[in-house]
Amino acid sequence: MTQTQSTSNEPSCIFCRILRGEIPSTILRKSERSVIIADLSPQAPFHALVLPRRHAADLGAFMKDAAPGEIDDLFAQALTLIEERGFDRKGYRIVINTGEDGGQTVGHLHLHLLAGRNLGWPPG
Ligand code: AMP
Ligand code: ZN
């Protein structure tokens, strides 16, 4: 089994370890397919990470093996939490950093949810 094909059992992946409960995290929302946690180093008043339970290094790897509805779940969970917190009223940002130029530091696909201040554009 190659890395991109493996499921949520990557021993060394920090997000897989969080998903297995081996590393503590603040869980904000759970579904059968994903978990949303608070980012340890928030870059905005609200900064959460949507983690698919299935390990994939990035969006390309995730999409390659995605079952119907898997991507929908990530956005549906994100939007539900954003609406619950009322951030849809003033706005928010969803970001997927990918690869070296994209600023990705953890090799397990995740969506950043950012809100609570004017986020500015373009990003750094
Ligand atoms: P990226 O740089 O796009 O790969 O995002 C990785 C994110 O994971 C960063 O925003 C980190 O602050 C966050 N992060 C790293 N370790 C943890 C952790 N143990 N719990 C919560 N967030 C984390
Ligand atoms: Zn992982």
Side-chain angles (χ1 to χ4, degrees):
M1 194 179 264
T2 67
Q3 186 167 9
T4 54
Q5 286 171 330
S6 61
T7 51
S8 57
N9 207 17
E10 289 289 326
S12 60
C13 169
I14 189 163
F15 288 167
C16 283
R17 295 189 66 197
I18 286 174
L19 290 163
R20 290 196 299 265
E22 293 168 9
I23 295 176
S25 66
T26 302
I27 294 174
L28 305 177
R29 190 174 175 82
K30 281 180 180 181
S31 82
E32 213 173 279
R33 288 177 152 159
S34 62
V35 175
I36 305 183
I37 64 168
D39 196 294
L40 199 58
S41 174
Q43 302 301 310
F46 176 78
H47 187 175
L49 302 171
V50 185
L51 311 180
R53 291 183 190 271
R54 178 168 69 86
H55 178 92
D58 59 19
L59 183 61
F62 190 79
M63 291 299 287
K64 203 166 134 291
D65 297 321
E70 260 193 297
I71 279 283
D72 308 56
D73 165 81
L74 301 179
F75 284 96
Q77 296 303 318
L79 191 58
T80 300
L81 183 60
I82 284 165
E83 289 179 350
E84 275 174 9
R85 303 284 175 109
F87 292 122
D88 55 315
R89 289 196 286 275
K90 281 204 80 179
Y92 57 90
R93 187 169 294 166
I94 297 180
V95 173
I96 301 176
N97 294 327
T98 306
E100 192 183 340
D101 279 0
Q104 183 178 7
T105 59
V106 177
H108 179 128
L109 174 66
H110 50 284
L111 277 57
H112 291 261
L113 312 181
L114 297 148
R117 66 170 171 84
N118 189 301
L119 293 162
W121 192 264

